Amino acid sequence: NAGVTQTPKFRILKIGQSMTLQCTQDMNHNYMYWYRQDPGMGLKLIYYSVGAGITDKGEVPNGYNVSRSTTEDFPLRLELAAPSQTSVYFCASSYSVAGGPYPSYNEQFFGPGTRLTVL
Amino acid sequence: GENVEQHPSTLSVQEGDSAVIKCTYSDSASNYFPWYKQELGKRPQLIIDIRSNVGEKKDQRIAVTLNKTAKHFSLHITETQPEDSAVYFCAVMRYGQNFVFGPGTRLSVLP
């Protein structure tokens, strides 16, 4: 298994440009997430998905959009890039199952990250 | 929403000593508590996790303790080694919600 893969690894954008960050997982995980990590800071959730066709906003969704048409893919779209979006973007996936007082959670796997600079 | 605090923000220990990092959370319905290690320039990786029906879990030199009543959990690293130097993040999850991460602790193990 390749796990969680992300492309590209690095990208420089000019202000106002748009781009899509790709994320694919081959573990048949139902949950997928997009985080951003600013230098020296923690992880902030942008969007997440609990399954194909279902997405929801996280803590910092403004300026981003997502879609989840398949279990495997969860692309993140940046429209009208701004310097404030300079960050490292991590995609992650996990498998969670409801049931009883203690739902089953498995490890959240992270992709290698995309380092984005907006100038 | 959930609020996760993590202390200390930086921690320096001598090689061989123990390190303890504590996280507190606000949502009493949270029931999954993982710890991640992130080395410089790399992705976060799970090192240990605990569920709300367990009070303590150990894996070799690493252990996590959970106090549900007080709403805090701690990471314990014994016999620290230079390769333990990294940033450690705690996280909290409640089913149907999403992971909320702490701000991180930078651990330095001095030889």
Side-chain angles (χ1 to χ4, degrees):
Chain A
N1 286 352
V4 181
T5 57
Q6 291 182 238
T7 57
K9 291 184 179 179
F10 304 94
R11 184 72 184 268
I12 298 175
L13 285 181
K14 294 182 178 179
I15 294 172
Q17 288 185 319
S18 300
M19 75 165 295
T20 299
L21 281 66
Q22 301 292 345
C23 175
T24 300
Q25 55 92 8
D26 62 359
M27 298 173 283
N28 202 31
H29 286 172
N30 51 351
Y31 277 58
M32 295 188 74
Y33 314 81
W34 274 106
Y35 297 93
R36 60 175 287 173
Q37 186 175 36
D38 297 335
M41 304 295 284
L43 294 154
K44 299 289 187 183
L45 183 68
I46 305 171
Y47 271 94
Y48 69 103
S49 168
V50 301
I54 306 170
T55 62
D56 208 348
K57 295 178 180 179
E59 185 180 357
V60 290
N62 291 344
Y64 308 94
N65 276 299
V66 293
S67 60
R68 183 102 181 265
S69 57
T70 67
T71 300
E72 296 78 19
D73 300 307
F74 191 41
L76 177 71
R77 178 78 177 166
L78 278 72
E79 304 283 1
L80 300 175
S84 61
Q85 294 179 304
T86 294
S87 192
V88 177
Y89 291 83
F90 288 103
C91 178
S93 71
S94 67
Y95 186 73
S96 297
V97 179
Y102 301 110
S104 171
Y105 302 120
N106 289 319
E107 176 180 353
Q108 184 175 115
F109 289 85
F110 284 82
T114 294
R115 187 174 297 275
L116 176 66
T117 302
V118 182
L119 301 174
Chain B
E2 178 68 90
N3 182 43
V4 179
E5 296 184 357
Q6 185 172 343
H7 297 281
S9 57
T10 60
L11 179 60
S12 294
V13 299
Q14 290 295 133
E15 182 176 357
D17 286 351
S18 295
V20 181
I21 304 168
K22 182 178 178 180
C23 278
T24 60
Y25 60 98
S26 58
D27 187 351
S28 58
S30 295
N31 52 16
Y32 177 59
F33 310 93
W35 283 94
Y36 293 85
K37 176 183 181 182
Q38 187 178 29
E39 297 176 348
L40 188 64
K42 296 191 176 181
R43 73 189 84 181
Q45 291 197 303
L46 181 76
I47 55 172
I48 196 166
D49 58 10
I50 192 167
R51 290 163 174 75
S52 56
N53 58 339
V54 176
E56 183 174 356
K57 183 177 179 181
K58 188 174 182 180
D59 183 3
Q60 299 182 8
R61 298 187 296 110
I62 296 172
V64 55
T65 58
L66 172 64
N67 184 326
K68 283 199 68 181
T69 303
K71 290 187 282 188
H72 66 73
F73 58 110
S74 297
L75 175 70
H76 305 256
I77 306 175
T78 59
E79 301 173 16
T80 53
Q81 301 168 3
E83 52 264 38
D84 294 330
S85 296
V87 179
Y88 291 82
F89 294 97
C90 64
V92 173
M93 186 183 184
R94 169 185 170 185
Y95 186 79
Q97 305 299 319
N98 52 63
F99 287 88
V100 178
F101 283 79
T105 295
R106 184 173 301 277
L107 174 65
S108 299
V109 180
L110 308 173

